[in-house]
Amino acid sequence: MGGGYGNSSIDIDESAGDSDLDGAIGLVYGSYEQDKWFVLGRLMGGWNDVDSSRTIATATDLEHASSDSDSWLLGTGVSVGAHLPFPGGWKLSPRFNLDYVQQWHSDAHEKGGAGGAIDIDGYSTSALTASGLFRVGRTLDFDVVAVEPFVQVGVAQRIALGDRKTRGEFQDVDADFDVNLAHEDRTLGLVDAGAIVDFQNGVSAQLNYGGQFEHEGSQHGVMATIRASW
């Protein structure tokens, strides 16, 4: 079992807007190993709070609109792979992953813009993602710890399911409009690099960088993890 908290900050070029996302996640997972082969299964649930603001250009000035919304997610996945040892303590680990995530977004209310208050109806999205990864690492044994630096590269295909649009309303004039969601199929390049430190007392610490790359841009993140076994 595991759990965690994350914060993401997104800034749009030329101060056009920004978003701040806080999230918590819980995870239950298990594994089975036979010789060099392994199978991993996982089930996760989480919650996100999103605060967003955007700049609106009017005929005379720049105005700012802000909104707040929540979302909940539930996901499951399975991985199949192998650990292939090489001379010098090196290890290659190819792995195939299949993941499904369902996310429910609450109604959102935006205020402060030039167009007055805006309500956006809640919606539901989901995605099925297949990915293949190749990980190269080497374990370095010291007196009290074992350190494994690693690099991982791969590719993922994400198939978007669920709602592709929702409805919005200008409160001041009681007028409805369609909102197209940025929810579409994506092909991603994946890069992950970091190190795992295993202590003799059963505590393991990991620090790694992760990047996702596609034709429209890229996303980058840094994650720290502490795990205890007993």
Side-chain angles (χ1 to χ4, degrees):
M1 298 181 63
Y5 163 82
N7 175 268
S8 299
S9 180
I10 302 172
D11 295 317
I12 302 175
D13 291 343
E14 299 179 0
S15 300
D18 61 78
S19 295
D20 190 72
L21 186 150
D22 290 294
I25 191 169
L27 178 68
V28 178
Y29 57 91
S31 64
Y32 173 78
E33 297 188 23
Q34 180 67 39
D35 297 327
K36 300 175 183 179
W37 295 92
F38 63 86
V39 177
L40 305 175
R42 51 194 170 272
L43 178 66
M44 68 173 183
W47 162 84
N48 293 313
D49 175 73
V50 183
D51 294 316
S52 300
S53 65
R54 62 189 180 101
T55 301
I56 302 172
T58 67
T60 58
D61 201 358
L62 293 177
E63 296 191 11
H64 299 278
S66 60
S67 65
D68 177 75
S69 63
D70 297 305
S71 66
W72 298 263
L73 62 91
L74 183 66
T76 185
V78 63
S79 302
V80 179
H83 295 305
L84 306 176
F86 286 86
W90 292 95
K91 181 171 60 178
L92 173 65
S93 301
R95 185 174 69 181
F96 174 77
N97 308 298
L98 189 63
D99 291 276
Y100 175 81
V101 176
Q102 177 81 38
Q103 191 165 17
W104 297 268
H105 301 258
S106 68
D107 296 346
H109 177 71
E110 183 182 83
K111 56 185 178 180
I118 298 175
D119 287 329
I120 304 296
D121 292 345
Y123 55 91
S124 173
T125 58
S126 58
L128 180 66
T129 303
S131 60
L133 299 167
F134 288 89
R135 172 174 169 147
V136 177
R138 183 185 183 190
T139 301
L140 306 174
D141 290 319
F142 299 97
D143 291 338
V144 295
V145 298
V147 181
E148 182 190 353
F150 66 88
V151 175
Q152 183 172 258
V153 296
V155 63
Q157 179 63 49
R158 183 171 300 160
I159 302 172
L161 306 169
D163 295 338
R164 300 299 180 97
K165 64 171 57 179
T166 187
R167 296 287 292 173
E169 179 185 2
F170 292 106
Q171 284 192 346
D172 292 350
V173 294
D174 194 23
D176 294 341
F177 59 93
D178 288 331
V179 179
N180 294 318
L181 305 176
H183 183 54
E184 58 187 16
D185 297 351
R186 298 176 183 272
T187 301
L188 304 169
L190 308 175
V191 176
D192 196 13
I196 301 173
V197 180
D198 291 318
F199 297 90
Q200 292 182 348
N201 60 1
V203 175
S204 176
Q206 177 175 331
L207 179 66
N208 66 287
Y209 154 82
Q212 295 184 355
F213 303 87
E214 57 178 318
H215 70 281
E216 294 183 350
S218 61
Q219 298 181 17
H220 308 270
V222 176
M223 182 172 66
T225 304
I226 297 177
R227 182 177 61 186
S229 303
W230 58 86

PDB file of all heavy atoms in Angstrom, residues 13-26:
ATOM      1  N   ASP A  13       2.379  30.974 -21.404  1.00  0.00           N
ATOM      2  CA  ASP A  13       3.274  32.010 -21.914  1.00  0.00           C
ATOM      3  C   ASP A  13       2.623  33.384 -21.906  1.00  0.00           C
ATOM      4  O   ASP A  13       1.409  33.531 -22.089  1.00  0.00           O
ATOM      5  CB  ASP A  13       3.722  31.669 -23.341  1.00  0.00           C
ATOM      6  CG  ASP A  13       4.655  30.466 -23.376  1.00  0.00           C
ATOM      7  OD1 ASP A  13       5.187  30.120 -22.305  1.00  0.00           O
ATOM      8  OD2 ASP A  13       4.841  29.889 -24.458  1.00  0.00           O
ATOM      9  N   GLU A  14       3.477  34.394 -21.703  1.00  0.00           N
ATOM     10  CA  GLU A  14       3.086  35.800 -21.750  1.00  0.00           C
ATOM     11  C   GLU A  14       2.001  36.139 -20.733  1.00  0.00           C
ATOM     12  O   GLU A  14       1.127  36.975 -20.978  1.00  0.00           O
ATOM     13  CB  GLU A  14       2.625  36.181 -23.166  1.00  0.00           C
ATOM     14  CG  GLU A  14       3.707  35.994 -24.217  1.00  0.00           C
ATOM     15  CD  GLU A  14       3.242  36.355 -25.612  1.00  0.00           C
ATOM     16  OE1 GLU A  14       2.066  36.763 -25.748  1.00  0.00           O
ATOM     17  OE2 GLU A  14       4.044  36.230 -26.545  1.00  0.00           O
ATOM     18  N   SER A  15       2.042  35.442 -19.579  1.00  0.00           N
ATOM     19  CA  SER A  15       1.127  35.722 -18.453  1.00  0.00           C
ATOM     20  C   SER A  15      -0.338  35.598 -18.844  1.00  0.00           C
ATOM     21  O   SER A  15      -1.206  36.286 -18.293  1.00  0.00           O
ATOM     22  CB  SER A  15       1.402  37.120 -17.878  1.00  0.00           C
ATOM     23  OG  SER A  15       2.729  37.219 -17.419  1.00  0.00           O
ATOM     24  N   ALA A  16      -0.632  34.707 -19.807  1.00  0.00           N
ATOM     25  CA  ALA A  16      -2.017  34.545 -20.246  1.00  0.00           C
ATOM     26  C   ALA A  16      -2.859  33.807 -19.217  1.00  0.00           C
ATOM     27  O   ALA A  16      -4.084  33.901 -19.221  1.00  0.00           O
ATOM     28  CB  ALA A  16      -2.053  33.801 -21.575  1.00  0.00           C
ATOM     29  N   GLY A  17      -2.234  33.059 -18.315  1.00  0.00           N
ATOM     30  CA  GLY A  17      -2.976  32.344 -17.289  1.00  0.00           C
ATOM     31  C   GLY A  17      -2.077  31.401 -16.527  1.00  0.00           C
ATOM     32  O   GLY A  17      -0.902  31.208 -16.862  1.00  0.00           O
ATOM     33  N   ASP A  18      -2.627  30.822 -15.471  1.00  0.00           N
ATOM     34  CA  ASP A  18      -1.877  29.851 -14.687  1.00  0.00           C
ATOM     35  C   ASP A  18      -2.857  28.959 -13.936  1.00  0.00           C
ATOM     36  O   ASP A  18      -4.022  29.305 -13.729  1.00  0.00           O
ATOM     37  CB  ASP A  18      -0.911  30.533 -13.709  1.00  0.00           C
ATOM     38  CG  ASP A  18      -1.634  31.414 -12.702  1.00  0.00           C
ATOM     39  OD1 ASP A  18      -2.210  30.866 -11.738  1.00  0.00           O
ATOM     40  OD2 ASP A  18      -1.629  32.649 -12.872  1.00  0.00           O
ATOM     41  N   SER A  19      -2.361  27.772 -13.546  1.00  0.00           N
ATOM     42  CA  SER A  19      -3.147  26.818 -12.774  1.00  0.00           C
ATOM     43  C   SER A  19      -2.283  26.257 -11.657  1.00  0.00           C
ATOM     44  O   SER A  19      -1.076  26.058 -11.828  1.00  0.00           O
ATOM     45  CB  SER A  19      -3.651  25.670 -13.672  1.00  0.00           C
ATOM     46  OG  SER A  19      -4.548  26.130 -14.642  1.00  0.00           O
ATOM     47  N   ASP A  20      -2.927  25.987 -10.524  1.00  0.00           N
ATOM     48  CA  ASP A  20      -2.256  25.378  -9.384  1.00  0.00           C
ATOM     49  C   ASP A  20      -3.068  24.160  -8.961  1.00  0.00           C
ATOM     50  O   ASP A  20      -4.258  24.284  -8.670  1.00  0.00           O
ATOM     51  CB  ASP A  20      -2.128  26.377  -8.229  1.00  0.00           C
ATOM     52  CG  ASP A  20      -1.229  25.849  -7.138  1.00  0.00           C
ATOM     53  OD1 ASP A  20      -0.010  25.784  -7.352  1.00  0.00           O
ATOM     54  OD2 ASP A  20      -1.748  25.488  -6.058  1.00  0.00           O
ATOM     55  N   LEU A  21      -2.447  22.996  -8.949  1.00  0.00           N
ATOM     56  CA  LEU A  21      -3.155  21.742  -8.692  1.00  0.00           C
ATOM     57  C   LEU A  21      -2.582  21.069  -7.461  1.00  0.00           C
ATOM     58  O   LEU A  21      -1.374  20.817  -7.383  1.00  0.00           O
ATOM     59  CB  LEU A  21      -3.052  20.824  -9.911  1.00  0.00           C
ATOM     60  CG  LEU A  21      -3.842  19.514  -9.892  1.00  0.00           C
ATOM     61  CD1 LEU A  21      -4.226  19.125 -11.318  1.00  0.00           C
ATOM     62  CD2 LEU A  21      -3.018  18.378  -9.275  1.00  0.00           C
ATOM     63  N   ASP A  22      -3.441  20.789  -6.483  1.00  0.00           N
ATOM     64  CA  ASP A  22      -3.082  19.993  -5.311  1.00  0.00           C
ATOM     65  C   ASP A  22      -3.794  18.648  -5.416  1.00  0.00           C
ATOM     66  O   ASP A  22      -4.976  18.592  -5.764  1.00  0.00           O
ATOM     67  CB  ASP A  22      -3.511  20.690  -4.016  1.00  0.00           C
ATOM     68  CG  ASP A  22      -2.684  21.935  -3.742  1.00  0.00           C
ATOM     69  OD1 ASP A  22      -1.486  21.795  -3.502  1.00  0.00           O
ATOM     70  OD2 ASP A  22      -3.257  23.039  -3.789  1.00  0.00           O
ATOM     71  N   GLY A  23      -3.082  17.575  -5.086  1.00  0.00           N
ATOM     72  CA  GLY A  23      -3.688  16.259  -5.219  1.00  0.00           C
ATOM     73  C   GLY A  23      -3.193  15.282  -4.184  1.00  0.00           C
ATOM     74  O   GLY A  23      -2.076  15.389  -3.675  1.00  0.00           O
ATOM     75  N   ALA A  24      -4.057  14.329  -3.839  1.00  0.00           N
ATOM     76  CA  ALA A  24      -3.697  13.235  -2.933  1.00  0.00           C
ATOM     77  C   ALA A  24      -4.080  11.931  -3.613  1.00  0.00           C
ATOM     78  O   ALA A  24      -5.079  11.859  -4.344  1.00  0.00           O
ATOM     79  CB  ALA A  24      -4.429  13.372  -1.600  1.00  0.00           C
ATOM     80  N   ILE A  25      -3.290  10.891  -3.379  1.00  0.00           N
ATOM     81  CA  ILE A  25      -3.536   9.616  -4.040  1.00  0.00           C
ATOM     82  C   ILE A  25      -3.242   8.465  -3.090  1.00  0.00           C
ATOM     83  O   ILE A  25      -2.347   8.564  -2.228  1.00  0.00           O
ATOM     84  CB  ILE A  25      -2.661   9.496  -5.314  1.00  0.00           C
ATOM     85  CG1 ILE A  25      -3.099   8.298  -6.150  1.00  0.00           C
ATOM     86  CG2 ILE A  25      -1.185   9.417  -4.968  1.00  0.00           C
ATOM     87  CD1 ILE A  25      -2.467   8.279  -7.532  1.00  0.00           C
ATOM     88  N   GLY A  26      -4.018   7.411  -3.186  1.00  0.00           N
ATOM     89  CA  GLY A  26      -3.785   6.178  -2.444  1.00  0.00           C
ATOM     90  C   GLY A  26      -3.589   5.032  -3.432  1.00  0.00           C
ATOM     91  O   GLY A  26      -4.193   5.011  -4.506  1.00  0.00           O
TER      92      GLY A  26
END
